[in-house]
Amino acid sequence: MARFICQKKCKKSMFKENDIRPKDLLEGQKKAVEADIRTLLDRKSEFVEVACPACGGNDFVSKFEKNGFKYVECPKCLTFYMSPRPTLRILTAFLENSQNYAYWSKYIFPASEETRRMKIFSPRVDRVLGLCKKHRVSMDALLEVGAGFGTFCEELKGRKIFKRVVAIEPSPTLAAVCRKKGIETVESTIENIEFKHGKSFDLVVNFEVIEHLFSPREFVIACRKLLKPSGLFIITCPNGRGFDIKTLGPVSDTIDHEHLNYFNPESLAVLLTSCGFKVLESITPGVLDAELVRNKVIEGKFDIAGQPFLNEILVEEWDRLGSIFQDFLSFQGLSSNMWLVAKNC
């Protein structure tokens, strides 16, 4: 079972939402998202119901609907997920033609890359390297699954610690960006590839990937096949029981048509363990939960008039209490961003 790691010192939130999602670009992104939603809903008659992606349970209770998509919750492990959902064939075609992915690649990623590098990816590399040292992982070969714009791999290569850094990226647009940066890139999903030497990697990482997948179990099994014995597996995704998501529910921007699976630290540990991993630790290092909820309140999209405690923290005493409250969420496993670290048994 995962255990939460609490840091000893509190720290101020390192960045704001606008740093990584520039407001002047959001209108164009909104139109791209609306187009993608229409593309998926045009094939809604082909959607299929699925079991719980964490524990495999077939019992569920309805949770909410958003933008024409239905979400249900597993009463056993409290994972919630989209069901019915697009089939793998629909998702594959969607990935190749997504207007939102193309918009991020053309506009948002380039506009925010240096800020993301400094405030997200450099600290992310530091954390990954620290985990490797802590768990005594060899640093010969690393694989990132779902490399996106390639910033993590690029930053890691610049440290000149790992001898080999490989990216897997199924989106043609983003795979081209990774190759342009000089990163060894495989343009495919991990479920559909085999490296010549089998278990080639000391470390497999994936950041905000598993929530997008039709079959998380197949993904985790495919990752494990490429890991050396005792190799390290690092996975991050939204925490469905974190403050931002749990408080806002369907109002949260994290709840969208691309995200099919909302694990929590305990349920994701169940999935990883059932696939042959030993979970070593769990952390929720998010820094934006409180601000994300506050922004929705200020925009008039979420009402906390009947919640004086939240009103005091998020509005009346924000400058004094905001960062302290965020630190509390992060250190107590209550942030909506989570990391699990596991070893290949």
Side-chain angles (χ1 to χ4, degrees):
M1 180 57 67
R3 63 187 181 87
F4 287 105
I5 306 299
C6 297
Q7 301 177 37
K8 293 183 179 180
K9 293 184 178 180
C10 293
K11 53 181 174 55
K12 298 287 185 181
S13 295
M14 294 184 294
F15 59 91
K16 296 183 179 297
E17 183 181 11
N18 187 59
D19 292 337
I20 58 173
R21 289 185 283 268
K23 289 183 178 179
D24 60 325
L25 296 175
L26 292 186
E27 187 60 34
Q29 194 239 347
K30 179 181 178 182
K31 292 179 181 178
V33 167
E34 290 171 349
D36 280 0
I37 290 174
R38 289 195 297 270
T39 296
L40 288 174
L41 291 180
D42 282 345
R43 302 186 67 175
K44 190 173 182 180
S45 62
E46 301 173 54
F47 287 13
V48 295
E49 293 189 353
V50 295
C52 173
C55 70
N58 287 305
D59 293 331
F60 62 84
V61 295
S62 295
K63 193 169 180 68
F64 50 71
E65 291 191 21
K66 182 176 182 179
N67 294 328
F69 302 95
K70 181 181 178 182
Y71 299 84
V72 300
E73 184 172 80
C74 173
K76 182 178 179 181
C77 69
L78 301 181
T79 297
F80 72 93
Y81 53 99
M82 185 189 293
S83 182
R85 65 177 53 182
T87 64
L88 182 58
R89 178 175 294 182
I90 293 173
L91 290 172
T92 300
F94 172 77
L95 186 66
E96 293 174 352
N97 299 288
S98 166
Q99 292 190 34
N100 186 38
Y101 285 3
Y103 189 89
W104 272 81
S105 180
K106 186 175 182 179
Y107 298 108
I108 298 180
F109 280 141
S112 62
E113 183 177 22
E114 288 312 307
T115 299
R116 287 172 175 270
R117 183 188 306 277
M118 178 176 64
K119 297 187 177 183
I120 296 179
F121 289 100
S122 182
R124 181 176 288 177
V125 169
D126 290 340
R127 178 173 284 120
V128 167
L129 293 177
L131 290 167
C132 288
K133 183 178 180 180
K134 178 179 179 180
H135 297 292
R136 300 178 181 179
V137 176
S138 297
M139 298 187 185
D140 289 327
L142 175 143
L143 176 68
E144 182 184 8
V145 187
F149 206 64
T151 311
F152 174 82
C153 286
E154 186 180 31
E155 179 69 19
L156 185 67
K157 283 187 66 177
R159 306 287 183 96
K160 297 181 179 180
I161 295 175
F162 276 87
K163 297 175 183 177
R164 184 186 182 202
V165 175
V166 180
I168 293 180
E169 176 49 55
S171 167
T173 303
L174 295 175
V177 173
C178 291
R179 285 192 293 267
K180 189 175 181 179
K181 292 182 175 184
I183 301 166
E184 181 182 346
T185 305
V186 180
E187 187 177 321
S188 175
T189 61
I190 192 170
E191 295 90 342
N192 292 328
I193 65 171
E194 287 189 18
F195 284 92
K196 293 180 181 179
H197 303 294
K199 296 181 180 295
S200 304
F201 297 94
D202 304 283
L203 174 63
V204 172
V205 300
N206 54 106
F207 306 105
E208 285 76 58
V209 173
I210 197 168
E211 65 270 25
H212 297 262
L213 303 177
F214 179 81
S215 177
R217 178 173 297 276
E218 290 184 14
F219 172 80
V220 172
I221 291 172
C223 288
R224 183 170 178 259
K225 287 180 179 178
L226 299 179
L227 263 178
K228 295 177 181 177
S230 298
L232 205 64
F233 184 56
I234 297 176
I235 182 169
T236 80
C237 63
N239 173 10
R241 300 190 71 193
F243 177 73
D244 159 32
I245 297 174
K246 196 168 184 178
T247 301
L248 294 176
V251 177
S252 170
D253 291 337
T254 302
I255 310 296
D256 66 24
H257 62 289
E258 295 181 15
H259 294 170
L260 311 182
N261 313 295
Y262 295 85
F263 298 98
N264 55 68
E266 292 76 17
S267 70
L268 187 55
V270 167
L271 173 61
L272 266 57
T273 300
S274 70
C275 292
F277 284 102
K278 178 182 179 181
V279 177
L280 303 175
E281 60 183 90
S282 172
I283 56 177
T284 62
V287 297
L288 288 178
D289 301 74
E291 185 191 351
L292 290 172
V293 176
R294 168 181 161 83
N295 287 346
K296 294 298 183 185
V297 172
I298 292 173
E299 293 166 4
K301 297 178 180 178
F302 188 71
D303 185 10
I304 57 171
Q307 302 184 62
F309 176 74
L310 286 183
N311 189 63
E312 181 176 1
I313 292 175
L314 301 179
V315 181
E316 295 175 355
E317 296 288 344
W318 173 252
D319 290 339
R320 182 171 69 89
L321 297 177
S323 63
I324 297 173
F325 182 61
Q326 181 62 54
D327 286 335
F328 167 78
L329 296 174
S330 300
F331 300 155
Q332 298 303 319
L334 299 173
S335 168
S336 292
N337 169 254
M338 69 175 179
W339 289 50
L340 256 68
V341 183
K343 182 173 69 172
N344 184 16
C345 296

